[in-house]
Amino acid sequence: MADMLKTVKEIRNDDEGASMLCDTCDQDNRKVANARCLDCTDFLCHECSTWHIRTKLTKHHKIVSLTEFEMGMHNEELKHRAKIYCTIHDGEIAKIYCLTCQCAICHECLECDHAKHRRCSLKEEVRNQVTQVEKLLKRSSSKAAILQNLQTSLKEIIKLKKADRDRVHETIEKSCETFINAILRRKQELIDELQSVHAMEIKHVSADEDSVELQLSSLVSCCEFTQKQVLEYGTPKEVLGLNNQMTLILHQLLETHPALTYHKIEQIESIQFDHNPDACARVVRDYLGKITKRKIPIDERLRKVLIELDTYCVGDGTEDELKPVDGAKDGVEASEIRLLGQIGKQGMGDGEFESTPNIVVNSANEIITSDYDGTKIQIFHPGTDFKDSFITEMDQKIFKPTGIAILRNDDIAVCCEVSVNIWTHEGKSVLSFGQNFFQNCTCIAVNSENRIIVADAGRHSVSVHTDTGKLLTQFGSQGKAESKLMEPRYITCDSQNNIIVSDSGDCNIKKFDSQGEFLLSFGSEGPERGQFQGPRGVCTDKFDNILVSDCWNHRIDLFTPDGCFIKHIATKFDNLHFPWCIALTSNGKLVLSEDYSWSFKLFSIPGLDINVSMEDLITSPPAPKMPDFGQLDIPSLFNNKVSWWLTSSSLQDTNNNKGNEVVNGDYSSRLYNNKAASSASDVALMGKMNNLPLSSKMSSSSDNDSVLASSASAPLTGRQSVPNIGSSTNSPRLPTKNSNNNNSNVSPTLKKSHSFMMADCHLSRVGSFGSPKRSSSSLSEQTMGTL
């Protein structure tokens, strides 16, 4: 009861420490209440409570003191006295419950709005609801027990994960120790070989030195003997007698080479160590091992717990039907997006941004952002928790990052206005190129061949480079033609390495092949489906469907690989404002940044990946009811051109047959006999006669009544073909009700899913060091070098 008094004070906006005031006193002179009438539910002061029991209408009411009221002495009585009053007729007690309107009503209500509604007594409905609540509580208790078992199992999994970590750590230590021992053995072999080669060379040089020393001493001795003994002190007879002998000796000493090894040479041998530093790093990376994951069966007890949990988390499909998003207006497409979190705010700290971040997701689903004004790269865990960051500095120069992409080895490629710089995941500089090539590069992408694609808004072009910076091709020039670019803002690549460019200056999306040849374009300026007002970020899903962030329309749109509009993934009704850069994680989550928010958001989108063909888009939607031809603006339709053709002869034959039934005279015949119809009016009229929804270059202003927008597709231009309507294609179809597609999306009734396999982390050894001899040989040939 004390809590009840506190609640009453809060409702009355009274201070928590203030006393309760009398309800029946004059408003300007209210006294402190010390009692309460259980029948009127009014708080009364001493004087009012005295008069309350004297009045004829209230003399039988029960008044209790607030002290007893707070002590709970009258709780049971209050429970029995509790009444529900009609919300329409003041003062009337509600004793009936309207099952149709789900509200309590009085007897007077039966004579007006609830006369023909289903109803029962209020007490019966209370009992029914109490029974339902008790059943829910019982199920909740059962689920709580299951969750406790699951929590215990998850703790065991944590222990198992720690054991996996320790085991892999031990394996890494042993592998590194084996690797180091092999290196040390090879080191000793190289040192021994060096010493042997050096000793042999010293031996040869020493022998030559001894020979030179011997000849030098002989020459000096002979010269001294001849000079002193013969020339200075010798008699003519001695000179004549020794002349021939001394001359012969001197000639021999002068003509003999003391060290033939050095006879007529210009170079001498020098010991060198031939090695490849890059190969050393590569071999260590490739042969030491790598961390991988594999599936192992889960514990049987956990399996049973998960099966029991499914009985609570999986419905039967009858109650959990899809409902529109709260706040969605009539005529606005309801989306299934769910916001998981918003990360970041304006600032210079960890997890904060100074400008709108650009986003990319690496192979580990880590979210990596570039901050232009903050001059830094930030890395976030898949759960959006901050992990690490580094300043975009290279060679003592600070760069301002714009676009960001991930290379095959998880290095981070960043375009910084007039150059492209590459850093490792830890922030170590690797490479920089394009300083004298780019003018204002705005975005960067990497395809499956590890080629770097850069959009340069200053040059109105896109260039393709190797991962070392070598230019392979360049395409694009300023203009609004099909193959030209006005303001290439964002780019991405699909699985076929086609290059998709978001051209904000032309308000459309252009698609090129890997060599820069134009394929198609779609979109135009406007608020309708398939139109853009400031296209920004672009990315693709696993089916090569194209996602585009439409900044000023406040939405994310999904298109087929051919550029046909599928649906709005997210709109302003999903709390989406000025979407900027977008990216998809491998588990189907959408990451996007918003302009003016200094943050990024993470969304969960059930059923995002949709594999759809052109045939699906043309034949799947129900044909709308067509207006009379008098409602069509024929000159306007003929002014709008489409650049693809209906090539199916069967379609045209059908059109010819049905056209005579709907359209009178020569006008219909002239339309259908034109095999090369190139105007949107021809296509629209043919679609109209066959109830076939098609789209034109400019979509209609109405999404529901327009013939041209009924297919919900964007305009197409470029080199592409449309499959024959009604014929089978190689493109997978959307799953239908009768489809047994194993790759279809999870049923919407599945609120929580799980796998009966656990990812087991282990060390995969690419290279083996089983024997010292093999290790030494391998390292000798590939990394350590030779003498």
Side-chain angles (χ1 to χ4, degrees):
M1 286 301 128
D3 293 337
M4 178 182 174
L5 293 179
K6 180 179 178 182
T7 304
V8 173
K9 290 180 181 179
E10 292 176 354
I11 294 174
R12 295 181 174 182
N13 294 323
D14 293 340
D15 295 335
E16 186 174 347
S19 300
M20 191 70 65
L21 299 180
C22 180
D23 290 329
T24 59
C25 288
D26 294 337
Q27 190 67 26
D28 298 333
N29 190 23
R30 297 178 66 186
K31 298 180 181 179
V32 177
N34 62 358
R36 178 181 172 87
C37 177
L38 300 184
D39 295 277
C40 300
T41 67
D42 290 335
F43 291 94
L44 305 173
C45 64
H46 178 72
E47 183 177 353
C48 290
S49 60
T50 302
W51 284 104
H52 199 75
I53 59 178
R54 294 181 179 179
T55 305
K56 183 177 181 180
L57 294 177
T58 59
K59 66 180 181 180
H60 297 294
H61 289 191
K62 185 173 182 178
I63 299 175
V64 298
S65 66
L66 289 184
T67 304
E68 296 178 355
F69 192 72
E70 292 178 355
M71 293 175 61
M73 297 175 61
H74 304 280
N75 288 351
E76 290 297 326
E77 187 173 358
L78 284 172
K79 199 176 201 180
H80 291 292
R81 287 174 174 268
K83 298 177 182 178
I84 299 177
Y85 291 90
C86 181
T87 57
I88 300 176
H89 303 93
D90 294 337
E92 292 293 330
I93 299 175
K95 295 184 178 180
I96 303 172
Y97 188 81
C98 179
L99 298 174
T100 304
C101 301
Q102 299 289 308
C103 64
I105 60 176
C106 63
H107 287 283
E108 293 187 14
C109 294
L110 295 176
E111 300 175 0
C112 50
D113 297 333
H114 304 274
K116 297 182 179 180
H117 292 181
R118 294 186 302 113
R119 53 190 181 271
C120 64
S121 67
L122 186 61
K123 291 183 178 179
E124 181 182 354
E125 179 62 23
V126 170
R127 285 195 300 268
N128 292 337
Q129 294 195 11
V130 168
T131 302
Q132 292 179 4
V133 172
E134 289 176 347
K135 289 181 179 178
L136 289 176
L137 289 176
K138 184 177 180 180
R139 292 196 66 196
S140 299
S141 300
S142 301
K143 185 173 181 178
I146 295 174
L147 292 178
Q148 288 178 353
N149 295 333
L150 179 60
Q151 185 180 27
T152 303
S153 299
L154 293 178
K155 290 181 179 179
E156 294 178 356
I157 291 177
I158 292 175
K159 294 180 180 179
L160 179 62
K161 295 293 183 182
K162 290 181 179 179
D164 286 345
R165 180 201 61 189
D166 296 339
R167 174 177 52 79
V168 173
H169 185 274
E170 182 180 357
T171 306
I172 292 174
E173 291 287 350
K174 292 181 179 179
S175 179
C176 290
E177 184 178 355
T178 304
F179 205 94
I180 292 171
N181 291 336
I183 293 175
L184 292 177
R185 283 193 299 270
R186 180 56 181 165
K187 173 186 174 183
Q188 190 61 45
E189 290 176 2
L190 290 172
I191 292 175
D192 294 342
E193 184 180 355
L194 174 63
Q195 295 295 342
S196 176
V197 173
H198 174 71
M200 186 62 65
E201 288 188 336
I202 295 298
K203 180 179 179 180
H204 293 163
V205 174
S206 298
D208 292 336
E209 182 185 11
D210 294 340
S211 176
V212 170
E213 183 179 4
L214 178 61
Q215 191 178 78
L216 176 61
S217 61
S218 300
L219 186 60
V220 170
S221 300
C222 186
C223 290
E224 289 178 354
F225 176 80
T226 303
Q227 180 67 30
K228 293 181 180 180
Q229 299 297 330
V230 177
L231 298 181
E232 292 183 5
Y233 304 106
T235 63
K237 183 180 179 180
E238 292 176 345
V239 171
L240 292 174
L242 297 174
N243 180 42
N244 293 333
Q245 185 178 0
M246 297 305 300
T247 301
L248 180 61
I249 294 174
L250 289 173
H251 276 294
Q252 288 180 351
L253 291 175
L254 290 175
E255 294 174 359
T256 302
H257 198 292
L260 294 177
T261 306
Y262 299 94
H263 179 58
K264 293 183 179 182
I265 65 171
E266 296 179 358
Q267 297 177 343
I268 62 174
E269 293 182 347
S270 174
I271 301 177
Q272 302 292 331
F273 180 57
D274 295 335
H275 71 292
N276 188 345
D278 295 335
C280 294
R282 185 169 59 252
V283 168
V284 170
R285 180 190 64 197
D286 297 340
Y287 286 83
L288 183 59
K290 61 182 180 180
I291 303 298
T292 61
K293 291 184 178 180
R294 66 182 180 185
K295 299 291 186 178
I296 61 172
I298 64 173
D299 183 73
E300 185 64 27
R301 184 173 60 179
L302 176 59
R303 181 187 178 90
K304 292 180 179 179
V305 170
L306 293 176
I307 293 176
E308 291 178 356
L309 189 60
D310 279 347
T311 61
Y312 293 90
C313 299
V314 181
D316 56 3
T318 59
E319 299 178 356
D320 298 329
E321 296 179 355
L322 294 177
K323 299 181 179 179
V325 178
D326 294 340
K329 307 293 183 182
D330 292 339
V332 177
E333 194 171 309
S335 62
E336 304 169 359
I337 193 169
R338 182 167 62 90
L339 178 63
L340 299 179
Q342 182 172 359
I343 301 91
K345 62 180 180 179
Q346 188 174 15
M348 300 180 63
D350 293 339
E352 298 175 348
F353 303 94
E354 287 289 295
S355 59
T356 303
N358 284 305
I359 297 170
V360 72
V361 178
N362 66 8
S363 58
N365 281 333
E366 293 176 333
I367 302 170
I368 305 175
T369 64
S370 64
D371 188 353
Y372 178 84
D373 292 330
T375 63
K376 64 180 178 181
I377 304 296
Q378 300 192 74
I379 304 172
F380 297 83
H381 289 289
T384 67
D385 294 330
F386 175 81
K387 179 181 179 181
D388 197 4
S389 67
F390 59 87
I391 301 297
T392 51
E393 178 183 5
M394 185 173 289
D395 297 332
Q396 298 181 349
K397 180 180 178 181
I398 300 295
F399 292 89
K400 288 195 170 185
T402 52
I404 185 170
I406 300 297
L407 293 170
R408 187 180 297 169
N409 60 355
D410 272 352
D411 284 350
I412 303 172
V414 184
C415 57
C416 303
E417 294 181 318
V418 294
S419 66
V420 172
N421 300 331
I422 300 176
W423 285 274
T424 65
H425 195 271
E426 294 77 22
K428 296 181 181 179
S429 58
V430 177
L431 177 67
S432 178
F433 65 89
Q435 287 79 1
N436 299 321
F437 179 79
F438 299 114
Q439 293 183 8
N440 182 23
C441 50
T442 56
C443 189
I444 188 171
V446 176
N447 65 14
S448 61
E449 296 177 346
N450 214 33
R451 300 284 189 257
I452 299 175
I453 299 93
V454 184
D456 192 342
R459 299 169 67 104
H460 309 281
S461 65
V462 174
S463 56
V464 182
H465 307 258
T466 65
D467 55 0
T468 59
K470 180 182 178 181
L471 178 64
L472 297 177
T473 184
Q474 182 184 7
F475 59 90
S477 60
Q478 186 174 6
K480 291 191 176 182
E482 291 179 345
S483 59
K484 295 188 176 183
L485 300 170
M486 282 296 297
E487 188 182 357
R489 277 294 189 99
Y490 285 91
I491 57 176
T492 190
C493 297
D494 60 17
S495 62
Q496 305 300 318
N497 291 328
N498 295 320
I499 301 170
I500 303 166
V501 184
S502 172
D503 192 350
S504 298
D506 202 8
C507 268
N508 62 12
I509 305 297
K510 293 182 172 72
K511 191 173 184 179
F512 304 83
D513 65 13
S514 59
Q515 302 301 318
E517 293 293 329
F518 176 78
L519 298 178
L520 62 92
S521 67
F522 59 90
S524 60
E525 186 172 5
E528 305 300 329
R529 298 183 180 183
Q531 293 184 322
F532 308 110
Q533 287 183 340
R536 294 294 187 265
V538 60
C539 66
T540 59
D541 63 13
K542 63 184 180 181
F543 295 119
D544 287 342
N545 295 323
I546 304 170
L547 286 80
V548 182
S549 66
D550 192 350
C551 181
W552 299 101
N553 282 330
H554 309 288
R555 65 195 184 196
I556 306 295
D557 293 338
L558 181 65
F559 297 84
T560 67
D562 295 324
C564 295
F565 178 83
I566 299 177
K567 67 175 181 178
H568 299 308
I569 290 180
T571 65
K572 60 185 178 181
F573 300 108
D574 300 301
N575 195 24
L576 188 66
H577 306 287
F578 305 104
W580 205 257
C581 186
I582 58 175
L584 281 176
T585 64
S586 61
N587 54 1
K589 292 183 174 59
L590 176 66
V591 188
L592 62 85
S593 59
E594 293 178 324
D595 203 11
Y596 312 113
S597 71
W598 301 278
S599 63
F600 66 89
K601 293 180 177 179
L602 183 65
F603 290 93
S604 174
I605 310 178
L608 172 62
D609 295 331
I610 298 177
N611 192 4
V612 63
S613 64
M614 180 73 74
E615 181 184 352
D616 295 323
L617 291 175
I618 295 177
T619 60
S620 293
K625 182 179 180 180
M626 305 306 300
D628 295 333
F629 281 165
Q631 299 179 10
L632 294 176
D633 186 2
I634 301 299
S636 173
L637 288 174
F638 270 89
N639 287 332
N640 295 327
K641 301 294 183 181
V642 295
S643 61
W644 51 271
W645 314 82
L646 294 175
T647 57
S648 173
S649 58
S650 61
L651 172 65
Q652 293 177 355
D653 293 340
T654 306
N655 288 339
N656 286 328
N657 295 332
K658 292 187 178 181
N660 296 326
E661 300 174 5
V662 181
V663 184
N664 60 354
D666 297 332
Y667 184 67
S668 171
S669 176
R670 178 167 54 86
L671 282 176
Y672 280 91
N673 291 330
N674 184 4
K675 297 294 184 180
S678 60
S679 67
S681 60
D682 295 342
V683 179
L685 288 174
M686 286 188 290
K688 184 175 182 179
M689 296 170 188
N690 291 277
N691 289 335
L692 181 66
L694 300 174
S695 74
S696 67
K697 178 71 176 178
M698 300 295 292
S699 65
S700 171
S701 60
S702 173
D703 291 337
N704 298 321
D705 299 329
S706 172
V707 180
L708 306 180
S710 60
S711 66
S713 64
L716 301 175
T717 61
R719 301 198 315 268
Q720 67 180 57
S721 62
V722 178
N724 294 337
I725 300 173
S727 63
S728 62
T729 63
N730 294 329
S731 301
R733 297 285 303 273
L734 278 170
T736 61
K737 292 182 179 180
N738 298 325
S739 174
N740 294 324
N741 190 355
N742 295 330
N743 296 324
S744 60
N745 295 326
V746 180
S747 170
T749 60
L750 182 59
K751 302 176 183 176
K752 206 75 174 177
S753 63
H754 61 266
S755 173
F756 290 137
M757 303 295 289
M758 293 170 48
D760 179 32
C761 180
H762 70 286
L763 181 67
S764 174
R765 296 285 304 281
V766 178
S768 175
F769 301 97
S771 63
K773 181 177 180 180
R774 180 182 177 184
S775 302
S776 175
S777 174
S778 175
L779 291 174
S780 170
E781 295 176 0
Q782 298 187 25
T783 54
M784 295 297 291
T786 58
L787 291 174

